Amino acid sequence: MRSYLIAASIAIASVAAALAVGAIMLLALGANPIDGYKTMFTAAFGSADGLASTAVKAIPLMLVGVGICIAFRANVINIGGEGQMVVGGLLATSVALALPNAPAVVLLPLILCAGIIGGAFWGSIPGALKAHYNVSEILSTIMLNIVAVQLMNFLLRGPLIDPGEIERGTRIPQTARLPEAADLPMLSETLNLHSGILIAIAAAIGAWVLLWRTGLGFRLRSVGLNPAAARYAGIPVKRNIIIAMTLSGAMSGLAGAILVFGSESHRMVTDGSTMGFTGSAGFNGIVVALFGALHPLWTIPSSFLFGGMLVGANSLQRVAQVPSALIIALNGLIVVFVVSTEWHRKRLQNQVQTQASQKNENEQSASDHGNAKS
Amino acid sequence: MNSVSASIQSDRQPMLEMRGITKRFPGVIANDNVSFDVLPGEVHTLLGENGAGKSTLMKILYGLYQPDEGDVLINGEKVSLQSPSDAIDHRIGMIHQHFMLVSSLTVAENVALGLSSTRGPITDLKQVAKKIKSLSDRYGLHVDPDAYIWQLAVGERQRVEIIKALYRDVQLLVLDEPTAVLTPQEVDDFFVILREMTSDGRGLIFISHKMNEVMELSDRISVLRLGRLVGTTTPQETTREALAQMMVGREVDNTREERPATIGRTALSINRLSVGGDRGVDALIDFSLDVQQGEIVGLAGVSGNGQRELAEAISGLRPIKSGSISLFHDGNPKPIGGLGPKAVREAGLSFVPEERMRDGAIGEFSVADNMVLHNHHSTRFSRGGFLNFGEIHRHSQKLVDDFQVKTPSIDTPAKNLSGGNIQKMIIARELDSDPEVLIAAQPTRGVDIGAAEYIHARLVAARNAGTAILVISEDLDEVMLLADRIAVICQGRMMGVVDRIDASREQLGLMMAGVTD
């Protein structure tokens, strides 16, 4: 209980500290920080429309963040969310293009599965490299991000390009309008909110169940906390590292598929980098997971906060005429504050624990003597 | 030993005085008005069970804790020790039970860590190595400055720690259970080293559970119990039994109930086993040993002579080069060499690893989770991939009660338990499955007397129930207390097996040193 309070107060304090530094930057840009923040908050959380936009922005962040949590619990760090989103999106897109006449009940599950499989495959590669050849997953996932972008550029400029783009000669690297049967169902007729948010929340809850209620989660966590003891107990360490990266990649791949089929254009588009497709969700998801204390359930509110900041940033840019890069800086500041307060949280927790164990030890020897006398 | 009479002692200025030290933690007093001093050239032993307050007192001395009351005086002057670097500045050194060495660096690099170099920012390792060599020769430490720490056995690592202290020219050295890893002969050599150090005027604080060593080495002995100083005495004025009683507040049973082993069929057979080591040299060479149902075989040997590799090979963690390891089911051999830990466990083997916190338990996991680490996937604890927490809790509670594991609850993280209770937890888990064969490596190292007694009793009970047990221990007293037959390993070779009844310490000591008839 106490550790939750410590974690929550530190999270709030880091947001406050980041906003304070951001206020100085706003002042330097000649904008009134109070008005600016009010604009942001109203845009992101002040109306049903705003909340819907925030939720849509939160979806990929949440899914990638949940994947980061799973990997982290097995002590692997997945920086490859970008690439896994791209590959998941590509595979889902290919499936939809291949089945233009399939009904929604068939096509929707298929494209979601394709996204999961694509991301899982892309995540399993660094997992296997780490498990068998001890290749740092941080390096291999980043490298694979680059490979995935080039794959996307190749496919969207060639095999998957909209035939109309070739006819017109514009050759914009994007697919044709994907089959309508694959459009993610909208949750409301008036709001621009699709069902991806439900999938993301379900994934977060599912990840929590997996990690703390199943044998697989038990093994993943034991491998993450103490691989030597896990090995002695007969838990296959290598296999579980691969599983962790595969599941983590699957979450990002699902995010990629939802990004494509929940988009307003209902096409997969590239601007030549991952940014254009993912909006950096593969990286920002790491931030979201860190802010959510690497716990899948805390990742849900955390992704709403960061999704809201993305929405707020756009309106701040319009209203106060400040560059939206300011928000990227704010995101970064929050992370810096969260991460730098992490050691403080650990210290507080250790203190509580050491005191408890000291007390425990002394009570034990006291009861030893009690037993001896009786 | 130069026994200094009390009158001379009082004339000399103590190099360290701790006066009326009190340290409170919420709900508990870890040190209650403890006074303790060390004279130059003296070995002052600190005796007490786990949780008696020894480590708190030593942490205060080393600047890790600040006392709530009381003073620390060095050479008669009051000092404030706010951090280990303050302690180091006062030439206080500490050799922890868990060595503070960087395993990917060499001996010389470890010694040089944190020291200023003669060549400014560039560490002059050659110079360091030279000085290590000369210290090593002078004190008979036999340490190769260029060896990597990960290549060294526990006993060798300890000598590196001593080199570190000598290199820094510490005047007051705290030794936390230093002999746990040594043979009787090595202990003798080690004591020569320590006496060499005291003859230079250095003071030593010796922490140990082993009464005969305490009696042999100490000039004075102070006993702590429940945070209070029970008394200070000298070896001349006391006996081993009296000390043990001061320590635990009750009589200690150190004899074993004689029950002849009801030896059954062979359960574990190791035949001409050779296993590679980490240093490119084979760690086990042509090693053979059988263990029968209902007996305890003790494997004695100096640390680093192949025991660790043998335990790893049997438990499936280390590939074997040649030879075989077999378990027997109804007389039929099943080779288990190189099968991996999961298959080996399924074949009926359990093991208590040497490094309990590294290999035996997951510190952050609860006691309950640790109890099912190896069989959480069994149909009993898992249904359709989901863990059955009700059953896991029932089972763990039963084991905790059965094996007297003292823990506030089964949801407590294992790392909050004392060493003895973590070991009881591991023994409970490993014995619960009624294994055909149990390998127990250093089952009571660093464990307090009460818990060690209990663990021994459980091992004997399992033997009486028909389990074949191999106890691998560097503590010869433990081997002689527990084993029905004693095997000795030296440099990876089997030196021979003797019945306990025929065994003498001298004979075993010679075998451990590799002397054959």
Side-chain angles (χ1 to χ4, degrees):
Chain A
M1 200 56 236
R2 197 157 164 182
S3 65
Y4 283 121
L5 283 178
I6 293 172
S9 55
I10 280 173
I12 292 164
S14 6
V15 174
L19 290 180
V21 178
I24 296 169
M25 298 198 292
L26 276 171
L27 278 174
L29 290 165
N32 180 338
I34 294 172
D35 287 349
Y37 285 144
K38 220 162 146 186
T39 309
M40 277 180 70
F41 187 84
T42 319
F45 304 106
S47 67
D49 276 336
L51 276 172
S53 319
T54 297
V56 169
K57 289 278 185 202
I59 296 167
L61 297 176
M62 196 185 301
L63 282 166
V64 173
V66 165
I68 299 292
C69 295
I70 297 174
F72 174 83
R73 294 291 160 179
N75 202 21
V76 278
I77 297 165
N78 181 9
I79 314 285
E82 293 276 295
Q84 292 145 14
M85 283 177 77
V86 166
V87 174
L90 282 172
L91 194 60
T93 303
S94 310
V95 168
L97 287 173
L99 301 169
N101 300 316
V105 278
V106 178
L107 199 52
L108 276 174
L110 268 183
I111 54 152
L112 294 178
C113 284
I116 287 171
I117 291 167
F121 168 66
W122 214 243
S124 69
I125 300 171
L129 289 173
K130 160 119 180 157
H132 293 295
Y133 305 106
N134 206 17
V135 175
S136 162
E137 75 278 18
I138 297 177
L139 298 179
S140 59
T141 48
I142 290 182
M143 301 295 177
L144 281 170
N145 285 346
I146 298 164
V147 177
V149 174
Q150 299 310 322
L151 183 67
M152 171 172 70
N153 290 342
F154 165 71
L155 288 175
L156 293 187
R157 285 186 181 131
L160 295 181
I161 196 168
D162 181 359
E165 292 293 333
I166 298 175
E167 271 172 37
R168 287 193 294 277
T170 39
R171 299 193 78 93
I172 296 170
Q174 61 179 24
T175 63
R177 170 68 166 88
L178 294 164
E180 282 182 23
D183 292 358
L184 290 176
M186 303 303 279
L187 290 181
S188 144
E189 305 213 332
T190 49
L191 293 176
N192 196 9
L193 178 62
H194 59 76
S195 46
I197 188 69
L198 299 181
I199 299 171
I201 291 173
I205 296 170
W208 177 80
V209 170
L210 171 87
L211 283 171
W212 279 282
R213 288 289 176 269
T214 70
L216 176 59
F218 185 89
R219 291 189 285 280
L220 291 176
R221 287 184 296 122
S222 63
V223 165
L225 288 170
N226 185 347
R231 205 159 75 104
Y232 255 90
I235 295 170
V237 173
K238 291 179 179 179
R239 191 196 301 165
N240 281 288
I241 285 174
I242 299 175
I243 291 174
M245 275 303 289
T246 305
L247 288 173
S248 186
M251 291 292 147
S252 295
L254 181 59
I258 290 177
L259 211 53
V260 173
F261 294 94
S263 68
E264 285 174 29
S265 67
H266 294 285
R267 302 168 189 264
M268 188 164 180
V269 189
T270 178
D271 68 351
S273 70
T274 47
M275 281 276 292
F277 171 57
T278 65
S280 286
F283 290 128
N284 288 337
I286 301 170
V287 176
V288 165
L290 280 175
F291 190 71
L294 293 155
H295 190 291
L297 295 182
W298 286 111
T299 304
I300 300 174
S302 170
S303 61
F304 273 91
L305 174 73
F306 284 89
M309 290 190 49
L310 292 176
V311 173
N314 285 333
S315 72
L316 182 66
Q317 190 178 14
R318 279 196 310 273
V319 175
Q321 303 295 316
V322 295
S324 69
L326 179 75
I327 297 303
I328 299 173
L330 268 186
N331 278 357
L333 282 169
I334 294 181
V335 175
V336 169
F337 282 112
V338 169
V339 174
S340 58
T341 43
E342 183 70 0
W343 73 268
H344 195 70
R345 184 179 66 81
K346 284 215 175 101
R347 220 187 60 170
L348 280 173
Q349 269 177 354
N350 281 347
Q351 266 176 14
V352 174
Q353 263 160 12
T354 334
Q355 285 166 5
S357 69
Q358 288 265 1
K359 192 178 155 195
N360 185 12
E361 240 174 60
N362 282 277
E363 273 168 5
Q364 275 167 22
S365 46
S367 71
D368 276 352
H369 293 278
N371 292 344
K373 275 169 200 150
S374 60
Chain B
M1 176 103 279
N2 48 334
S3 54
V4 189
S5 79
S7 61
I8 298 172
Q9 273 181 16
S10 59
D11 291 347
R12 281 193 291 167
Q13 160 119 336
M15 59 196 303
L16 166 75
E17 263 185 283
M18 300 180 86
R19 284 187 190 155
I21 300 287
T22 296
K23 178 70 183 171
R24 296 183 195 90
F25 293 105
V28 83
I29 302 179
N31 282 155
D32 186 0
N33 193 20
V34 175
S35 293
F36 181 80
D37 61 6
V38 180
L39 299 168
E42 174 192 49
V43 179
H44 193 158
T45 293
L46 202 49
L47 208 54
E49 285 207 294
N50 290 351
K54 291 172 306 198
S55 38
T56 304
L57 192 65
M58 290 301 106
K59 279 177 179 166
I60 288 170
L61 174 60
Y62 207 55
L64 291 163
Y65 291 155
Q66 272 64 54
D68 296 324
E69 285 164 35
D71 296 318
V72 179
L73 289 83
I74 306 256
N75 298 324
E77 275 177 45
K78 202 175 142 183
V79 294
S80 154
L81 302 167
Q82 296 294 327
S83 73
S85 60
D86 289 346
I88 292 165
D89 288 345
H90 287 101
R91 300 211 174 281
I92 297 170
M94 186 179 295
I95 298 184
H96 297 264
Q97 221 173 326
H98 306 284
F99 304 139
M100 305 292 171
L101 297 169
V102 182
S103 58
S104 55
L105 297 182
T106 64
V107 170
E109 286 166 336
N110 267 283
V111 170
L113 271 183
L115 292 178
S116 54
S117 160
T118 48
R119 278 169 48 191
I122 302 152
T123 305
D124 189 355
L125 280 176
K126 275 203 185 116
Q127 193 63 35
V128 175
K130 224 170 105 190
K131 193 167 165 198
I132 291 175
K133 251 306 177 246
S134 79
L135 284 170
S136 171
D137 290 346
R138 166 152 179 232
Y139 291 96
L141 289 165
H142 307 294
V143 170
D144 172 10
D146 298 323
Y148 285 94
I149 299 298
W150 59 264
Q151 298 175 323
L152 302 183
V154 184
E156 296 169 290
R157 291 183 193 193
Q158 181 184 48
R159 297 202 288 274
V160 177
E161 286 281 10
I162 290 185
I163 287 266
K164 254 167 77 180
L166 289 170
Y167 194 96
R168 276 148 221 237
D169 193 27
V170 302
Q171 290 302 309
L172 178 66
L173 183 63
V174 182
L175 297 147
D176 189 359
E177 293 201 46
T179 60
V181 293
L182 307 176
T183 61
Q185 281 89 348
E186 270 188 314
V187 170
D188 291 342
D189 293 344
F190 181 67
F191 283 3
V192 171
I193 297 167
L194 296 187
R195 282 185 194 123
E196 194 72 31
M197 289 171 74
T198 52
S199 70
D200 298 345
R202 295 178 225 262
L204 300 179
I205 300 175
F206 182 62
I207 298 175
S208 176
H209 292 305
K210 293 186 185 172
M211 295 302 170
N212 47 352
E213 291 175 3
V214 169
M215 294 295 284
E216 187 189 334
L217 184 69
S218 312
D219 293 305
R220 284 188 296 158
I221 303 162
S222 288
V223 181
L224 286 179
R225 188 168 84 226
L226 297 175
R228 273 186 287 271
L229 184 69
V230 182
T232 299
T233 177
T234 66
Q236 291 76 33
E237 291 164 359
T238 189
T239 62
R240 292 169 54 162
E241 291 71 24
L243 281 177
Q245 207 171 334
M246 276 170 89
M247 224 170 112
V248 298
R250 63 187 151 92
E251 299 270 354
V252 176
D253 177 20
N254 228 355
T255 53
R256 167 170 151 179
E257 187 195 343
E258 269 316 315
R259 168 107 63 105
T262 47
I263 302 226
R265 285 184 296 219
T266 299
L268 168 72
S269 175
I270 300 162
N271 192 21
R272 310 200 61 171
L273 180 69
S274 291
V275 164
D278 293 333
R279 272 178 280 182
V281 188
D282 281 359
L284 282 180
I285 303 149
D286 222 10
F287 185 93
S288 298
L289 177 66
D290 284 358
V291 185
Q292 268 91 34
Q293 293 171 344
E295 73 163 346
I296 297 177
V297 172
L299 184 66
V302 183
S303 165
N305 273 279
Q307 295 99 318
R308 183 168 60 87
E309 290 84 355
L310 175 67
E312 287 179 357
I314 299 174
S315 48
L317 291 166
R318 185 176 281 267
I320 63 178
K321 273 192 165 172
S322 65
S324 67
I325 307 168
S326 305
L327 290 180
F328 287 81
H329 283 294
D330 308 318
N332 303 316
K334 176 179 167 49
I336 55 165
L339 282 188
K342 196 172 178 192
V344 169
R345 279 184 178 279
E346 277 160 8
L349 189 119
S350 280
F351 29 86
V352 178
E354 173 178 346
E355 304 262 358
R356 73 180 73 98
M357 276 319 285
R358 195 190 69 194
D359 298 328
I362 296 182
E364 288 81 358
F365 268 21
S366 68
V367 172
D369 285 349
N370 272 295
M371 286 291 194
V372 295
L373 207 54
H374 63 302
N375 61 356
H376 67 276
H377 56 273
S378 68
T379 48
R380 183 172 169 201
F381 301 123
S382 173
R383 211 170 295 145
F386 284 83
L387 295 174
N388 180 350
F389 286 101
E391 189 58 30
I392 289 173
H393 278 87
R394 258 193 303 283
H395 174 69
S396 304
Q397 190 62 55
K398 185 177 147 283
L399 285 183
V400 162
D401 295 342
D402 276 4
F403 283 79
Q404 300 176 13
V405 181
K406 285 178 197 128
T407 171
S409 96
I410 55 171
D411 297 319
T412 306
K415 66 178 177 192
N416 290 0
L417 270 57
S418 69
N421 281 305
I422 291 174
Q423 190 70 345
K424 281 196 220 168
M425 175 186 87
I426 294 169
I427 301 255
R429 177 181 76 204
E430 299 299 331
L431 280 178
D432 167 63
S433 51
D434 281 328
E436 311 257 327
V437 179
L438 175 75
I439 312 293
Q442 322 296 345
T444 61
R445 177 194 285 169
V447 163
D448 61 278
I449 291 184
E453 254 183 75
Y454 186 78
I455 289 167
H456 287 162
R458 294 304 298 228
L459 290 176
V460 171
R463 152 207 185 250
N464 293 345
T467 300
I469 300 178
L470 176 63
V471 172
I472 301 172
S473 178
E474 283 146 14
D475 179 353
L476 194 53
D477 290 335
E478 175 169 63
V479 171
M480 295 198 64
L481 182 71
L482 276 181
D484 299 300
R485 292 190 298 142
I486 300 171
V488 180
I489 189 171
C490 180
Q491 295 185 340
R493 290 175 200 275
M494 166 60 78
M495 301 306 294
V497 184
V498 288
D499 282 343
R500 177 175 55 127
I501 304 170
D502 308 328
S504 69
R505 299 182 68 86
E506 291 66 34
Q507 182 201 0
L508 292 173
L510 286 174
M511 287 165 79
M512 285 158 82
V515 180
T516 43
D517 307 327

